């Protein structure tokens, strides 16, 4: 489960300076926020450097339709950006994608169309672009576009071998490789059939382990490893897709917590040889978390995660025999976090991240898994490795060393002693895409006063090229409103066990400290994401300021990128410490002199919807009203990997599951205090989670409000639906939290 509320896609608009200078205190409207061009300005998404470092490519939403993305390029030496692929010229907006592709995009949280992914050929000759189920190549020199596939079926997960001569993809559950020199196509796996497929990762791996690959080319381009998925034993759920034009019943394999998972097997096949099966043990109830080839193609590394997620093994396999040896075994009494920080060095040694000292840090191991040294240390959590520069003996990583509500890029010596060097300027939030060599990076930055911007930087943080400056000047879409709304204030309070709980608070427009204001608490509250960050404020939250609400957020225990003690506080008890901390936040608000303590509301989506319901159903809850979107309401109805990681199984933790079932405390929900909403085609948090709450409230005669969205999945797509959603929510809170004058 991952956070659903996201900031809007960005684009551009031109205002004349004279007009803008006269309009710096305008009123922001919901029509303006949910319309093109997006109000936060231009964006550059998924930026990447060509292998030779000469060209930089990125995705950019259209200025007149932010739901469609094009592929753009710019030379690293400078010059004007240029359009590489216009999605409208090649994309068929009316084409119906396969159920497999729709499901994959849902797992990847892709809500736009056009160019949604791309990849550089490792030789730097061309760019591979999947589009609407087919595959295209753009010549890097001439910029000519060639269509590589043209079939009735979708080609899924298209990727290139390192030598750029082989194209891999999955069609109808079968793995194929196309030789681009001979234009010949060869099946690498058997045909799919029944509940068996090849070359794609299973639902759980995509949704909860963030592994979207189901096959892997060896670096020498001579072999391919691939996954076989057998979902025979996974429970089949008859899920209804209720749309505006009718209802369709879909049989979906959904592994409920405590129930059976898919059986996953791994094979290695020479491009022109027979496949061999890897020996992953007799017990088939586990997760394949990650798969990586060694740099010399002589070994395949598999990260095998136990079903209870308390043991993660790094297994080194011989491609010739399929026999493996465990070289690292991470263990925890709660759960082991899965990440992408396994980084191989040229001599066979590798860097690995672990929480073994109480925080996530980087460690250096030799090729046999023997610990050489701990690289990073301190009271902070390393979020991810960005790159490794062996020539300079440096590893680059992202973290919030100064404070967890900021994110920066740092470097640290791999072998030598030293301390982390801060590469990026502090005070905000950086997202970094770094060249593997560590020589340069694409940095996306924002802070509460700075809209998101993207640029190319060298390894020392020197700006080399602006990709999207997005300056908040007279030409910026947000400029007319820049003097209207205050920046957030940040602080912290203590949890019951002494942990720092960071919060942000946005005060209403024209704030008067002598008045009292209603408060809206915007939360997620789950282990997949935090919300208190020094980033650009989401425009929709500015709308709440405009309506006279204080907007407050607090990251409770269990949210990520903190210590083991902090993140594991929720183990086996969703609805415990996480809700205690939200209640503590509300009580903190009630003691502020400018807060109307009797009119505090709360809202969130997905896990945020669960936290909303649990906060409303606390005895003597300080929350007067809440909006819960797509909420899990009984964790037995959610999937295995996510739920069991944090809650153990229903069989082993009956009391914990009972305590986190909203129905067991629903009697505390006050009449007319709840608005619950859900997409009617949600394949993640199934609609039954909401209907069971509705049925129980009706049975008890407790009035509430409900909104269902025909055809929508776990997140709402498009301006019209989101505008409707925010109008609905704002109207609800104005009725509930603003006493009649």
């Amino acid at each position: 489960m991952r956070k659903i509320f996201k900031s809007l896609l960005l684009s551009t608009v031109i205002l004349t300076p004279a007009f803008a200078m006269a309009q710096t205190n305008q009123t922001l409207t919901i029509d303006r926020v949910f319309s093109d061009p997006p109000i936060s300005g231009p964006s550059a998404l998924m930026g990447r450097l060509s292998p030779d470092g000469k060209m930089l490519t990125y995705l950019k939403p259209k200025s007149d339709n932010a739901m469609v993305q094009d592929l753009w390029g710019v030379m690293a030496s400078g010059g004007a950006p240029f359009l590489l692929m216009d999605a409208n010229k090649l994309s068929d907006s009316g084409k119906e994608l396969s159920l497999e592709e729709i499901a994959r995009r849902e797992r990847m949280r892709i809500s736009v169309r056009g160019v949604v992914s791309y990849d550089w050929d490792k030789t730097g000759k061309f760019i591979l672009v999947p589009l609407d189920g087919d595959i295209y190549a753009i010549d890097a020199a001439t910029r000519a576009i060639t269509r590589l596939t043209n079939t009735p079926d979708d080609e899924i997960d298209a990727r290139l071998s390192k030598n750029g001569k082989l194209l891999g993809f999955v069609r109808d559950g079968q793995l194929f490789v196309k030789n681009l020199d001979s234009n010949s196509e060869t099946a690498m796996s058997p045909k799919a059939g029944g509940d068996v497929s090849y070359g794609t990762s299973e639902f759980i791996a995509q949704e909860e382990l963030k592994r979207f690959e189901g096959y892997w080319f060896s670096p020498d381009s001579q072999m391919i490893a691939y996954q076989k998925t057998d979902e025979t034993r996974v429970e089949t759920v008859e899920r209804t897709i209720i749309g505006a034009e009718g209802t369709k019943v879909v049989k979906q394999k959904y592994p409920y917590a405590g129930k059976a998972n898919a059986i996953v097997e791994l094979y290695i096949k020479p491009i022109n040889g027979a496949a061999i099966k890897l020996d992953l043990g007799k017990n088939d109830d586990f997760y394949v978390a990650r798969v990586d080839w060694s740099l010399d193609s002589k070994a395949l590394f598999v990260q095998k995660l136990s079903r209870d997620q308390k043991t993660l093994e790094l297994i080194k396999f011989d491609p010739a025999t399929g026999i493996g040896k465990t070289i690292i075994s991470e263990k925890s009494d709660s759960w082991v976090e899965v990440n992408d920080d396994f980084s191989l060095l040229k001599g066979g040694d590798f860097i690995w991240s672990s929480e073994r000292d109480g925080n996530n840090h980087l460690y250096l191991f030799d090729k046999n898994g023997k610990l050489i040294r701990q690289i990073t240390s301190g009271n902070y959590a390393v979020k991810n490795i960005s790159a490794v520069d062996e020539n300079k003996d440096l590893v680059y990583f992202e973290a919030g060393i100064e404070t967890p509500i900021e994110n920066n890029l740092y470097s640290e010596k791999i072998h030598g002693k030293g301390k982390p060097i801060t590469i990026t300027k502090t005070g905000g939030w950086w997202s970094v895409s770094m060249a593997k060599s560590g020589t340069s990076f694409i940095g996306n930055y924002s802070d509460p006063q700075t809209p998101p911007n993207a640029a190319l930087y060298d390894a020392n943080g020197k700006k080399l090229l602006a990709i999207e400056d997005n300056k908040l000047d007279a030409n910026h879409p947000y400029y007319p409103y820049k003097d209207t709304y205050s920046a957030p204030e940040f602080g912290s309070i203590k949890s019951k066990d002494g942990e720092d709980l960071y919060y942000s608070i946005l005060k209403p427009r024209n704030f008067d400290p002598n008045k009292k204001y209603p408060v809206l608490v915007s939360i997620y509250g789950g282990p997949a994401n935090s919300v208190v960050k020094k980033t650009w404020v989401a425009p929709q939250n500015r709308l709440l300021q405009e309506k006279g609400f204080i907007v407050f957020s607090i990251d409770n225990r269990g949210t990520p990128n903190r210590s083991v003690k902090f993140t594991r506080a929720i183990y086996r008890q969703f609805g415990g410490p996480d809700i205690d901390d939200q209640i503590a936040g509300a009580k903190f608000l009630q003691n502020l002199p400018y807060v109307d303590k009797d009119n505090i509301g709360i809202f969130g989506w997905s896990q945020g919807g669960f936290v909303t319901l649990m906060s409303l159903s606390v005895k003597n809850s300080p929350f007067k009203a809440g909006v819960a979107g797509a909420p899990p309401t009984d964790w037995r109805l959610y999937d295995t990997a996510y739920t069991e990681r944090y809650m153990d199984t229903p069989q082993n933790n009956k009391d914990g599951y009972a305590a986190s079932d909203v129905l067991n405390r629903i009697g505390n929900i006050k009449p007319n205090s709840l608005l619950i909403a859900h997409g009617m085609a949600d394949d993640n948090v199934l609609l039954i989670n909401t209907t069971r709450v509705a049925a129980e409230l009706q049975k008890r005669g407790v009035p509430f409000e409900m909104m269902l969205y025909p055809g929508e999945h776990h997140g709402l797509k498009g301006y019209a639906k989101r505008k409707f959603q925010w109008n609905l929510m704002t109207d609800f809170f104005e009725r509930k939290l603003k006493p009649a004058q």
Side-chain angles (χ1 to χ4, degrees):
M1 178 183 289
R2 298 190 293 281
K3 185 180 178 184
I4 293 298
F5 279 155
K6 296 182 180 178
S7 60
L8 296 174
L9 293 172
L10 309 174
S11 191
T12 57
V13 68
I14 302 297
L15 299 173
T16 63
F19 174 79
M21 288 298 290
Q23 302 287 329
T24 59
N25 198 30
Q26 288 189 30
T27 298
L28 192 61
T29 66
I30 196 165
D31 287 333
R32 181 60 195 90
V33 168
F34 295 104
S35 65
D36 288 316
I39 198 166
S40 291
S43 66
L45 311 171
M46 210 179 290
R48 292 172 185 162
L49 280 166
S50 61
D52 61 9
K54 293 182 179 180
M55 187 191 299
L56 190 150
T57 48
Y58 56 97
L59 302 182
K60 181 177 178 179
K62 288 184 176 295
S63 59
D64 60 349
N65 186 354
M67 301 308 294
V68 180
Q69 293 179 162
D70 298 322
L71 179 63
W72 285 73
V74 64
M75 302 310 295
S77 58
F82 44 86
L83 183 63
L84 284 167
M85 179 176 279
D86 184 339
N88 282 346
K89 291 184 178 180
L90 295 172
S91 176
D92 180 2
S93 61
K95 179 180 178 180
E96 186 173 347
L97 298 174
S98 66
L99 290 177
E100 291 79 11
E101 178 64 11
I102 292 172
R104 179 178 169 81
R105 292 191 180 197
E106 185 68 19
R107 303 285 77 76
M108 299 177 78
R109 304 297 189 260
I110 295 173
S111 60
V112 296
R113 68 173 185 87
V115 184
V116 298
S117 65
Y118 72 96
D119 195 17
W120 272 94
D121 158 38
K122 299 301 184 292
T123 67
K125 294 180 180 179
F126 62 92
I127 305 165
L128 188 74
V129 184
L131 186 69
D132 292 344
D134 283 306
I135 307 167
Y136 298 80
I138 303 174
D139 187 289
T142 66
R143 302 176 195 171
I145 299 174
T146 302
R147 187 169 186 165
L148 301 179
T149 61
N150 189 2
T151 64
D153 298 317
D154 287 350
E155 282 77 33
I156 294 174
D157 192 20
R159 279 181 283 129
L160 292 162
S161 62
K162 190 172 182 179
N163 64 8
K165 296 182 178 181
L166 303 176
L167 171 65
F169 56 85
V170 176
R171 181 193 298 139
D172 196 22
Q174 186 176 19
L175 176 63
F176 291 88
V177 165
K178 184 170 185 174
N179 188 306
L180 297 181
D181 287 340
S182 65
N183 203 35
S184 60
E185 187 178 286
T186 304
M188 289 288 108
S189 75
K191 290 184 178 180
D195 294 321
V196 177
S197 61
Y198 299 87
T200 55
S201 51
E202 73 278 22
F203 168 88
I204 283 295
Q206 294 181 25
E207 179 64 35
E208 308 302 358
L209 301 180
K210 299 182 183 179
R211 177 173 67 82
F212 299 100
E213 306 87 4
Y215 70 92
W216 303 265
F217 281 111
S218 60
D220 63 8
S221 304
Q222 298 301 306
M223 295 175 285
I224 191 166
Y226 66 84
Q227 170 176 334
K228 174 186 176 182
T229 305
D230 185 348
E231 294 185 298
T232 302
R233 66 185 185 186
V234 179
E235 186 170 342
T236 300
V237 176
E238 289 195 346
R239 178 173 59 84
T240 55
I241 299 177
I242 304 172
E245 298 177 353
T247 299
K248 180 166 58 176
V249 177
V250 174
K251 291 185 177 181
Q252 177 183 346
K253 291 288 187 173
Y254 194 96
Y256 286 122
K259 301 293 185 66
N261 273 325
I263 297 174
V264 173
E265 298 174 354
L266 293 178
Y267 293 80
I268 294 178
K269 184 184 184 304
I271 299 301
N272 297 307
I276 63 168
K277 181 181 176 182
L278 300 190
D279 183 4
L280 287 165
K282 294 182 179 180
N283 180 2
D284 59 16
D285 200 9
F286 60 85
Y287 302 102
V288 173
R290 298 289 184 270
V291 177
D292 296 277
W293 282 96
S294 63
L295 300 180
D296 60 8
S297 302
K298 293 181 179 180
L300 185 75
F301 294 92
V302 177
Q303 294 183 40
K304 178 183 174 183
L305 183 66
S306 62
R307 171 66 184 261
D308 64 9
Q309 300 183 63
K310 294 182 179 182
T311 302
L312 178 67
E313 297 175 84
L314 178 64
I315 309 173
K316 185 178 181 180
F317 284 94
D318 181 346
T321 65
I323 297 174
K325 178 183 178 182
T326 298
I327 60 174
I328 287 182
S329 183
E330 291 282 348
K331 294 184 180 295
S332 170
D333 57 6
S334 53
W335 71 83
V336 178
E337 287 284 1
V338 174
N339 55 57
D340 296 305
D341 291 339
F342 175 56
S343 297
L344 287 157
L345 306 180
K346 293 176 183 177
D349 295 346
F350 59 90
I351 300 173
W352 174 265
S353 67
S354 170
E355 293 181 312
R356 59 185 63 187
D357 81 341
N359 284 287
N360 193 53
H361 281 297
L362 304 180
Y363 295 80
L364 178 65
F365 291 84
D366 72 12
K367 60 184 179 181
N368 297 312
K370 181 181 178 181
L371 178 63
I372 298 174
R373 68 182 297 263
Q374 182 171 347
I375 299 172
T376 63
S377 62
N379 188 26
Y380 65 92
V382 171
K383 292 179 183 175
N384 61 271
I385 292 177
S386 298
V388 174
D389 186 342
E390 288 195 67
N391 293 329
K392 294 182 179 179
D393 192 41
L394 291 175
V395 57
Y396 295 88
F397 62 93
E398 291 182 53
I401 293 180
E402 292 80 6
T403 170
I405 64 176
E406 295 181 12
N407 196 58
N408 285 285
L409 178 66
Y410 304 86
S411 68
E412 179 75 275
K413 287 287 186 182
I414 299 173
H415 295 91
K417 292 183 178 180
K419 62 180 182 178
I421 295 175
T422 307
I423 306 298
T424 50
K425 70 172 184 177
T426 59
W429 196 273
W430 288 85
S431 175
V432 170
S433 176
M434 199 165 198
K436 288 187 176 181
S437 61
T439 54
S440 60
F441 67 91
I442 298 167
N444 290 273
Y445 174 80
S446 81
D447 60 46
Q449 286 78 35
T450 307
N453 60 78
L456 177 66
Y457 300 83
D458 69 15
N460 296 316
K462 180 183 177 182
K463 189 173 181 179
L464 303 174
L465 175 71
I467 305 168
E468 287 289 6
D469 255 345
N470 200 18
K471 291 181 179 178
L472 189 52
D473 57 19
N475 293 324
H476 194 281
Y478 190 76
Y479 186 82
Y481 316 98
K482 76 180 187 69
D483 296 329
T484 304
Y485 307 99
S486 60
E489 300 169 12
F490 297 93
S492 66
I493 62 174
K494 293 290 184 180
S495 66
K496 288 181 179 179
D497 61 356
E499 292 288 326
D500 287 324
L501 305 175
Y502 290 91
Y503 68 79
S504 65
I505 188 165
L506 277 170
K507 294 176 180 176
R509 182 180 183 180
N510 301 319
F511 174 74
D512 182 347
N514 296 312
K515 292 183 179 180
K516 292 187 181 294
Y517 296 89
V519 181
L520 293 181
V521 178
S522 172
I523 48 91
Y524 178 68
N529 212 333
S530 57
V531 294
V532 181
K533 302 173 182 178
K534 287 188 178 180
T535 60
W536 180 247
V537 177
Q540 52 265 43
N541 282 344
R542 298 298 194 190
L543 291 173
L544 300 178
Q545 286 181 280
E546 176 64 37
K547 293 291 186 179
F549 291 104
I550 292 172
V551 185
F552 180 83
S553 293
I554 188 167
D555 283 335
N556 50 256
R557 284 170 292 170
T559 49
N561 302 316
R562 298 287 298 274
S563 69
V564 170
K565 178 188 175 186
F566 188 93
T567 57
R568 275 24 175 218
I570 58 168
Y571 183 56
R572 303 182 91 237
Q573 50 179 344
F574 272 162
D578 46 352
I579 307 306
D580 289 343
D581 294 347
Q582 292 298 328
I583 299 301
K587 290 181 178 179
F588 163 76
L589 288 168
Q590 289 178 325
N591 288 321
L592 296 177
Y594 49 82
V595 165
D596 181 350
K597 66 179 182 178
D598 296 323
N599 286 290
I600 299 177
I602 184 170
F603 69 96
W605 198 270
S606 195
Q607 181 121 13
F610 166 77
V611 173
T612 295
L613 285 172
M614 296 298 282
S615 298
L616 283 176
S617 59
V618 170
K619 288 184 178 180
N620 302 313
S621 174
F623 296 103
K624 186 177 181 181
V627 176
T633 63
D634 178 354
W635 289 100
R636 292 171 298 181
L637 297 174
Y638 200 62
D639 68 49
T640 51
Y642 184 90
T643 309
E644 294 172 12
R645 181 186 309 148
Y646 308 117
M647 287 290 290
D648 202 341
T649 63
Q651 297 89 334
N652 294 336
N653 186 20
K654 291 181 180 179
D655 291 343
Y657 276 79
S660 63
D661 185 344
V662 175
L663 261 57
N664 288 333
R665 52 198 282 173
I666 203 166
N668 295 323
I669 292 183
K670 303 178 185 72
N672 298 305
S673 66
L674 172 65
L675 167 61
I676 192 167
H678 216 122
M680 299 180 80
D682 196 332
D683 64 346
N684 182 348
V685 179
L686 303 181
L687 183 58
I688 187 176
N689 283 275
T690 283
T691 57
R692 66 193 296 271
V693 170
E696 184 62 25
L697 289 173
Q698 290 166 354
K699 178 181 176 182
R700 291 170 176 263
V702 178
F704 69 101
E705 298 179 29
M706 183 164 69
M707 179 55 62
L708 300 177
Y709 294 92
E712 292 296 318
H713 289 76
H714 195 48
L716 304 185
K717 298 178 178 66
Y719 283 139
K721 290 284 180 70
R722 298 195 69 206
K723 176 182 174 182
F724 180 91
Q725 174 195 23
W726 278 80
N727 265 325
L728 180 77
M729 185 182 75
T730 304
D731 172 74
F732 176 81
F733 281 128
E734 288 201 300
R735 286 188 283 113
K736 302 301 179 183
L737 302 182
K738 290 185 177 180
Q741 300 297 322

